[in-house]
Amino acid sequence: MADDAMERESMEFDLVIVGGGPSGLSAAIRFKQLANEAGEDLSVVVLEKGGEIGAHILSGVVMDPVGLDKLLPDWRTRDDRPLKTEVTADKFMFLGPEGVADISWLPMPGFMKNHGNYPGSLANVTRWLGQEAENLGVEVFPGFAASEVVYGEDGRVKGVVSGVMGIAADGSHKGDYQPGMELLGKYVLFAEGARGSLTKELIAKFNLDEGRDPQKFGIGLKELWSVPEEQFREGYVQHTMGWPLDNKTGGGSFLYHFRDNGEPFISVGFVVHLNYANPYISPYQEFQRFKHHPAVLPHLEGGKRVAYGARAITEGGFQSVPKLAFPGGALIGCGAGFVNVPRIKGSHNAILTGMMGAEAAFTAIKDGRQGDTLESYEDAYAQSSVYKELKTVRNVKPLWSKLGTAIGIPMGGIEMWISSLFGGFSFFGTLKHGKSDAKSLQPAKNFKPIDYPKPDGVISFDKLTNVSFTNTFHEEDQPVHLKVADLALQKSSEHDVFDGPSARYCPAGVYEWIEEGGELKFQINSQNCIHCKTCDIKDPNQNINWTVPEGGGGPAYPNM
C-alpha cells in the first residue's frame, strides 16, 4: 500500500463528497448554491461507486418533499421533475395468514399520514439531482469507489483514495492496473448510506459512537412491477404489519402505485428488522410468500416484475446517531442513521443533513479554515427538524423489539402521540436498543427450520432469477470484496452453531456451504453481491467485512 501511495497522483478540491445518493448530491448542490451566491469560485467533487448516478439507489419510496422544498424551492413547477404522483389514498393494515384488519381509521399523529407525499423512484430522484449538481458546476465522478481514507500526519481526514483498478483475484497487478488517485479536500463529507465501509472505519477511529446505542438495521427488499391500467390506482399507498412474520420478528411491507414517464408501476417491498433471533428466517422468502396474501395479490396479478433489489436500512434512530463531525470531515445522510422507522422514511432527512453539512463546510472555508471539526454542523442538527422528528419517535423501535408486534406497536402509537403533543416528552425517557443485530441471533438448536413454499414463477420467484433483474455485474478477475477474517470461526460458529444463516439472510445468493473433497467449504459468490451490506451487519461473529469492489461494480437499478 505504501508503494501504491508513492505512485498516486492527487487532486485538490475545496470539498470532497463520498457517495452520490440524495444526501451527497444535496450537499454538493447546497455548497455550490452558497458559493455562487457569494461569488466564490469553490470546487466540489462527488464520488459515486455505482456505474452511474442512481445505479445503487433503492428505496420504497414515498418521499416527504420537505427536503426538496428547501433545497430546490421551484422543483414542483419543473417539467423534468422526477416526482409527479401525489398520494391519493393511504392504507394501514394488519395481516393474518388469510385475513386483514384495516387499521387506517385509528387516530395517528399527523406525521404518520402520507397525503402530501410523493411515491416514485428514488434512483430517478438521484439522477435528477446529479444533473442539477453538474449544472451548478459540481464535478460528479460515477464509477469511482472510495476505497481508503487519507489521513494527515496529525490524524485528521485529508481525503480519500478512489479509482483503484486492475488488481487480479490473486492480488497481482493486471495490465490495466491503476493505483487510484488521492482526492483531497479542505473537508470531506461521507454520504455512503447504511453501513458504509469507510464510515464504519471512521466511527471506530474517532469513537463517534461513544455514549450512543448500537446502530440497528433492517433489510428492505423490493420489486418493481409494470401493471395494466385497469388495476392501477394512481397515488395509492399501502403499508402492512403482521403476517408472514411472527410476533417476535419486526418488519412490514409497502406497496405504492405511481407513474414514471406516464407508465403505471407498483413498488412492492418488504422490510425485516435485522434483530431477529431465529437463524432459519429468510427475509427474501418471507417477501416472496407475502406477495400471495389476498391483500397484496390482486395488485400484482396480470402485471410483470421488471426489477428487483435489496438494501440495508438504518433503524437505530435518535439513540444511535453517532457524533457527526470529526477533524477534517463529517457524516451526512443515512450513513449516520436519520431514518424515521415508523414512517419508513429517511430520504428527506438525508437531504436536510446533507445541506447542513455543506453549509457548515462552506462557512468554515469562507472563514479561511480547513481540516478542523465542523461543530456548527453538530449544532445545526441539534436545532433541526431532523433531530425533533427522530426524538419524537425514539421509543417506537425499542418498544416493538421488547414487546413484540401485537403489544409493542400499540404502545409505540400511544408513545408517539404523547411525545408529539408534549415536545418530545416520554414517560419512558429514552429507551435503549441493547445489543447489536449480530448478537441478537440465537443458536439453531433453539428453532426448527422453516419450510418456505416454492416460488410459482409468476408472483414469487427464486432468488437467483430475481438477482438477474438487478443488472448486477462485477469484473470477475478481482479480489473478493467480502472479507472473511477467520474461516475456521465461520465453520465452527456460523455453520456449526447457527446452521449457516448467511445463505438465508443474504438476498442475492452470495453465500453457501458446499462439500468439496469431503469437507465443508464456505463459498462466496461475490459476483452476485447487490451491495445490501446485510452480511456485514448480521454475521453473528462480525466475521464478514464488506469492502468496495472496483468502481462501477454492483447493481444497476432502473426506476428503483
Side-chain angles (χ1 to χ4, degrees), residues 480-540:
V480 174
H481 65 280
L482 302 153
K483 312 292 186 183
V484 180
D486 186 341
L487 282 170
L489 176 63
Q490 206 67 13
K491 169 64 172 64
S492 65
S493 180
E494 200 265 348
H495 180 274
D496 294 354
V497 176
F498 298 97
D499 201 14
S502 56
R504 293 180 286 276
Y505 63 59
C506 174
V510 171
Y511 301 104
E512 56 182 332
W513 286 94
I514 62 173
E515 188 171 327
E516 191 174 274
E519 295 185 358
L520 279 174
K521 175 185 175 184
F522 190 51
Q523 177 77 25
I524 303 176
N525 306 306
S526 59
Q527 70 276 10
N528 288 0
C529 180
I530 57 176
H531 299 199
C532 74
K533 316 290 181 68
T534 306
C535 55
D536 197 296
I537 297 162
K538 191 60 178 171
D539 180 83

Side-chain angles (χ1 to χ4, degrees), residues 85-90 114-117 119 233-237 257:
T85 301
E86 285 196 57
V87 173
T88 57
D90 193 11
N114 281 295
H115 289 280
N117 297 327
R233 296 174 59 187
E234 187 166 359
Y236 177 79
V237 166
H257 291 232

